[in-house]
Amino acid sequence: HADDDYTRELYELYCQACHGAAVSGAPRSFSRDWQPWLKKGLPQMVENAIRGTGNMPAMGTCNECGPQELEDLIRYMSREQ
């Protein structure tokens, strides 16, 4: 659930450092930067997050995350605000 407190907490712990500032080519949170990635489809994006992609390490370093948490995080970060 991309809007719950747990997702926001995971984002702040594991994702914000790179995605909040668009570091190392990471798509910036809450921006149109996600559009090219979203075209690949959510299942592919979750798989990329699990394996790691570009400069992002496997699981985005979130050892407590599973596929559902990663999907929720992608949905959360890719919303434009």
Side-chain angles (χ1 to χ4, degrees):
H1 305 109
D3 247 349
D4 64 21
D5 290 337
Y6 184 58
T7 299
R8 283 192 289 274
E9 182 180 324
L10 289 175
Y11 169 76
E12 290 170 6
L13 287 171
Y14 300 107
C15 309
Q16 187 173 12
C18 292
H19 288 280
V23 172
S24 300
R28 188 169 38 92
S29 302
F30 318 122
S31 75
R32 296 188 59 76
D33 291 1
W34 285 87
Q35 294 309 311
W37 280 271
L38 291 172
K39 290 178 183 173
K40 296 177 183 181
L42 205 47
Q44 181 62 55
M45 293 179 67
V46 170
E47 185 61 32
N48 289 349
I50 290 169
R51 285 193 325 264
T53 184
N55 291 315
M56 187 177 112
M59 303 301 289
T61 72
C62 181
N63 294 328
E64 66 186 282
C65 291
Q68 186 59 57
E69 287 79 16
L70 292 170
E71 180 178 329
D72 291 344
L73 285 161
I74 291 166
R75 288 180 186 274
Y76 177 69
M77 288 187 287
S78 66
R79 293 185 314 200
E80 293 178 44
Q81 294 185 351

